[in-house]
Amino acid sequence: MNWPTRSEWLYSFKCFAASMLALYVALKAGLPRPFWAMMTAYIVANPLAGAVRSKAVYRLGGTFLGAAASVLLVPRLAHAPALLTLALGLWVGLCLHISLLDRTPRSYVFMLAGYTAALIGFPSVDRPDQLFDNALARVEEIGVGIVCATVVHSLVLPTALTAPLLGLLDRSLGHARTWMGDLLARAPQADAPGRQAGTATLAADRQRLAADITQLRILSTHVPFDTGHLRWTEGALREMQDRLAALTPALSAAEDRLQALEEAEGGLAADVAELLQAVSDWLARPAEAQAATWPALQARLDALGAQDDQPVQPVQPGRGDWSRALRISLAVRLGELLQGWRACAALRTEIDAGLQGTATASPPRPTLGARVLHRDHGMAALSALAAVLAIGICSFVWVQTAWLSGSVAAMMSAIFCCFFASMDDPVPAITGFLKATAWSLPIGALYVLVLLPLVHDFGMLVLVCAPVFLVLGCLAARPASAGTGMAMTMGVAGSLALGDTATLDLPYFLNSNLSLLAGIVVAALVTRLVRTVGSDVVARRLRRAAWRELAEQAGATRAAPDDGRAVRSLDRIGLLAPRIAQTDPATRDDTARAALRELRVGADIAVLQQQREAAADAALPALLQGIAQGFRQWSLSGPQPWPEALRQALDGALAAALQTAASATGHRAQVTALVGLRRNLFPQAPAELGGPRLTQEHSA
């Protein structure tokens, strides 16, 4: 094992200084369990100062909410201990459910509100007269720890969020640029092996960008609490995240249209290859040259797929019409892509100007933030149920055996069911924490039974605590050992915090720590029986959620703006990526491509919903209802082949759209959406148009 680095030592020293400051203040204030303040300082610690401040605010809010809940519940149900423990368990479950639906650092408020009520309420079940004093002391101790940690991490060599966040932002832009470069570098005539290599490269580009966008959206929730100037650019940062999210469907669609043109024409034709080269040359120019040459490039994009100046004649379905439709769709998607890229570049410049204190020319538009991320109510309900059952089992054993420290087991089961509930399989993490806690017990016993009784002043206490906590802080700062280091730190600090300064003896230590371990064991067992699912199950739930959303979108009777759909779809792709990595390699890339196809389908449906009111007949409404019915069936019984009648309807609508003047913006958007649906729903369809249009009776 390598020696700790300078940054790891610095982080450990700051954590230790904050914990000792909190302990000193708590001791001076005469709080009954001052080591709670010390432990809280470690809990809210983070290498980034902005994350410490946000976590501190959320933890303080959750502590007040949990204390208020315990004060409301315990006095009213003190005469019925069984009912009181049930009420506390249900409160923990409710807060955990809400917490899991908000996949941002804000969820900490609700999670903490749940198990804080357990920490305060369970020890007061048989002593309700001491409830308010316990609740007040706990809030004060936790508040002292939070304030001390925030002060130390904000003032002593603070690590700003600027470097990691801007690094992630630039990495996302780099991955988007790499995807565009790989896309534009497609050879005009590619054999099968070369195409396979290109497909693998593009698949990696897709997964990297989707993961970056979700990480960026979650990390940016700390921006308002940052210690640097980054918080003044929050609006531009959030708008840029939305712009980056919008690049993905355009990139994916352009990639698909190029593949379709290669399949339809045996390779990329000269006009398409020349356009790709022009786009590539434009991207290589500096920003000023891009702005100057953009009108000319836009004109070339608009000209791709346009008819000659001959009078428009009815076009019969066929291979030539399909190639023309593909060109129009490619040009529209490339135009959207390049417009989005220009907006991202302008916002990145605006962010740099904001960091230097320069005012922006215009305020950013309202942005989506993280409120549109994917939510799984079913898994959240299962996690809440596991917490309630674990608390109920521990409480039953505690009451039936009259175990002196049995309340600790109920508290620990609540905490550990909450901490790891966001994982597909929380049991390995819980058992890992259990092992680290068991390893920390001898150290805790050494402090409680041997060292602390010998301490006579605060300076000696600092010297006694320093060796162990500084080493454990370095372990917690290193990603490879962060879990073990944090678990052992909490184990030692928890051994001190479980007793007050007047009850640090062997029987109390053994009772409380055995109860602590029992609570962790029960949390692991109940979680394994009720909550644990495989990665394949979670992936399947993500896909079904996407299908339900597509069915609702296509089945809507009128176009409803939903800017969050693309972000939510990208978030699902980001969640899918690590899970499909554990599946069969033969189907892994197919699953990733299918998720991107569904993202593009949503964008195409949105366009057709906007066009349906202007449609001259019932073709578009009937087509959308057929798509809604299909995705509704998928969400119930899994993917099934789409009916041939739907493909014929798409061909008919596309043939009709191609007869409209090629210069009309609405025409090109409608053609693009219909081509996208045909490619995404029928990727193996022949490279020609044909077949009768679908009527309302056929789609029913």
Side-chain angles (χ1 to χ4, degrees):
M1 183 176 180
N2 297 326
W3 286 99
T5 63
R6 179 180 177 276
S7 61
E8 291 168 353
W9 277 118
L10 176 61
Y11 174 71
S12 182
F13 272 109
K14 288 199 293 185
C15 291
F16 183 70
S19 67
M20 290 299 102
L21 177 61
L23 183 58
Y24 178 80
V25 173
L27 286 169
K28 282 295 185 182
L31 298 177
R33 297 193 177 184
F35 287 100
W36 271 103
M38 172 186 174
M39 186 167 66
T40 300
Y42 272 100
I43 291 175
V44 300
N46 191 285
L48 301 174
V52 173
R53 288 153 62 126
S54 68
K55 199 173 182 181
V57 170
Y58 298 141
R59 185 173 179 83
L60 194 59
T63 300
F64 275 111
L65 187 57
S70 64
V71 170
L72 288 174
L73 291 174
V74 175
R76 288 164 175 76
L77 301 175
H79 62 283
L83 190 59
L84 175 56
T85 55
L86 175 62
L88 288 172
L90 291 174
W91 170 258
V92 173
L94 174 64
C95 291
L96 178 59
H97 186 275
I98 297 173
S99 171
L100 292 174
L101 296 181
D102 182 359
R103 293 174 37 242
T104 71
R106 286 191 303 269
S107 64
Y108 199 47
V109 172
F110 304 104
M111 181 188 295
L112 201 70
Y115 67 72
T116 296
L119 291 174
I120 296 173
F122 282 120
S124 304
V125 168
D126 52 355
R127 291 172 295 180
D129 57 310
Q130 301 178 13
L131 169 69
F132 186 79
D133 291 338
N134 290 338
L136 181 61
R138 207 74 340 108
V139 171
E140 290 173 340
E141 291 154 2
I142 292 173
V144 167
I146 289 172
V147 171
C148 292
T150 303
V151 169
V152 171
H153 286 277
S154 298
L155 298 181
V156 180
L157 299 176
T159 303
L161 190 63
T162 305
L165 184 62
L166 293 185
L168 181 57
L169 188 66
D170 290 336
R171 190 179 76 186
S172 303
L173 282 171
H175 287 159
R177 182 66 179 84
T178 300
W179 190 356
M180 281 193 285
D182 292 338
L183 186 66
L184 297 171
R186 295 174 70 103
Q189 203 68 32
D191 55 12
R195 182 171 304 176
Q196 279 301 107
T199 300
T201 301
L202 291 169
D205 294 338
R206 299 182 209 117
Q207 294 182 11
R208 285 195 297 262
L209 184 57
D212 287 345
I213 290 170
T214 296
Q215 292 175 22
L216 187 62
R217 196 168 292 277
I218 293 175
L219 183 61
S220 65
T221 57
H222 297 301
V223 168
F225 304 92
D226 190 59
T227 56
H229 293 160
L230 187 65
R231 61 184 181 274
W232 306 119
T233 67
E234 181 185 7
L237 277 169
R238 295 194 183 280
E239 183 176 355
M240 189 167 178
Q241 293 168 31
D242 296 344
R243 295 284 190 176
L244 276 171
L247 288 181
T248 302
L251 273 164
S252 179
E255 176 189 335
D256 178 77
R257 302 309 174 265
L258 287 174
Q259 180 182 348
L261 280 168
E262 287 181 346
E263 294 171 352
E265 301 177 356
L268 293 183
D271 58 338
V272 177
E274 290 171 2
L275 178 64
L276 294 183
Q277 186 59 50
V279 172
S280 182
D281 293 341
W282 181 85
L283 283 171
R285 295 185 177 120
E288 297 79 6
Q290 286 182 352
T293 57
W294 171 249
L297 182 59
Q298 180 69 69
R300 291 193 65 172
L301 290 169
D302 292 340
L304 187 67
Q307 290 178 313
D308 298 333
D309 293 334
Q310 302 293 332
V312 177
Q313 299 293 331
V315 180
Q316 298 299 321
R319 182 178 296 269
D321 297 332
W322 175 238
S323 294
R324 177 174 168 240
L326 288 173
R327 280 169 167 77
I328 292 173
S329 180
L330 174 64
V332 170
R333 293 308 184 205
L334 284 176
E336 294 172 352
L337 175 61
L338 297 179
Q339 290 277 25
W341 180 256
R342 293 182 67 202
C344 286
L347 286 167
R348 186 65 183 87
T349 303
E350 181 180 323
I351 290 169
D352 283 337
L355 290 174
Q356 297 171 5
T358 304
T360 58
S362 59
R365 63 175 176 80
T367 52
L368 299 172
R371 67 181 184 275
V372 296
L373 298 180
H374 170 75
R375 296 174 176 178
D376 192 330
H377 291 268
M379 293 306 298
L382 273 181
S383 299
L385 176 62
V388 173
L389 290 177
I391 292 170
I393 292 171
C394 291
S395 300
F396 178 79
V397 174
W398 166 35
V399 172
Q400 292 301 313
T401 61
W403 191 356
L404 181 63
S405 299
S407 61
V408 176
M411 293 188 297
M412 291 302 109
S413 63
I415 290 173
F416 281 89
C417 283
C418 291
F419 266 1
F420 306 104
S422 60
M423 298 180 176
D424 295 346
D425 184 3
V427 175
I430 296 176
T431 54
F433 211 105
L434 175 64
K435 293 175 183 177
T437 303
W439 279 108
S440 71
L441 288 184
I443 303 175
L446 177 66
Y447 274 107
V448 171
L449 304 176
V450 179
L451 297 178
L452 287 185
L454 301 176
V455 171
H456 300 294
D457 56 46
F458 187 74
M460 186 181 294
L461 179 61
V462 173
L463 291 176
V464 167
C465 292
V468 169
F469 284 96
L470 286 175
V471 172
L472 293 178
C474 288
L475 289 176
R478 182 170 297 182
S481 59
T484 301
M486 193 62 184
M488 293 192 69
T489 303
M490 293 300 101
V492 177
S495 296
L496 302 175
L498 285 175
D500 58 40
T501 53
T503 59
L504 298 178
D505 55 18
L506 180 59
Y508 190 93
F509 178 84
L510 291 177
N511 254 309
S512 58
N513 282 280
L514 287 175
S515 184
L516 182 150
L517 295 176
I520 300 176
V521 170
V522 170
L525 292 175
V526 173
T527 299
R528 180 173 294 281
L529 291 174
V530 176
R531 164 64 179 79
T532 299
V533 295
S535 297
D536 57 334
V537 175
V538 178
R540 191 158 55 245
R541 291 181 63 84
L542 288 166
R543 298 289 305 283
R544 289 184 185 276
W547 298 334
R548 286 193 298 270
E549 187 169 298
L550 288 172
E552 293 172 1
Q553 183 187 10
T557 56
R558 63 178 61 185
D562 184 10
D563 295 331
R565 180 199 54 77
V567 175
R568 195 159 44 248
S569 299
L570 279 174
D571 181 43
R572 292 194 184 106
I573 293 173
L575 293 173
L576 271 171
R579 292 172 171 94
I580 63 177
Q582 304 174 35
T583 61
D584 182 5
T587 61
R588 187 179 303 165
D589 193 47
D590 291 341
T591 304
R593 282 201 300 266
L596 271 176
R597 278 201 302 269
E598 289 151 12
L599 170 62
R600 300 195 302 264
V601 166
D604 295 331
I605 290 174
V607 172
L608 292 185
Q609 284 284 19
Q610 295 170 359
Q611 298 281 332
R612 64 183 298 167
E613 296 180 1
D617 54 30
L620 286 186
L623 185 63
L624 289 169
Q625 288 302 317
I627 294 171
Q629 182 179 348
F631 278 117
R632 210 172 287 122
Q633 188 64 34
W634 278 32
S635 67
L636 296 175
S637 54
Q640 300 175 8
W642 290 91
E644 181 63 18
L646 187 63
R647 184 186 69 81
Q648 294 174 356
L650 281 169
D651 286 356
L654 186 53
L658 284 170
Q659 298 181 43
T660 312
S663 59
T665 303
H667 151 78
R668 293 177 71 86
Q670 184 174 340
V671 168
T672 300
L674 290 169
V675 169
L677 288 174
R678 191 179 191 269
R679 283 289 300 167
N680 294 320
L681 302 183
F682 301 94
Q684 304 301 324
E688 59 180 333
L689 301 182
R693 294 167 61 181
L694 182 68
T695 64
Q696 283 183 314
E697 291 78 8
H698 290 140
S699 67

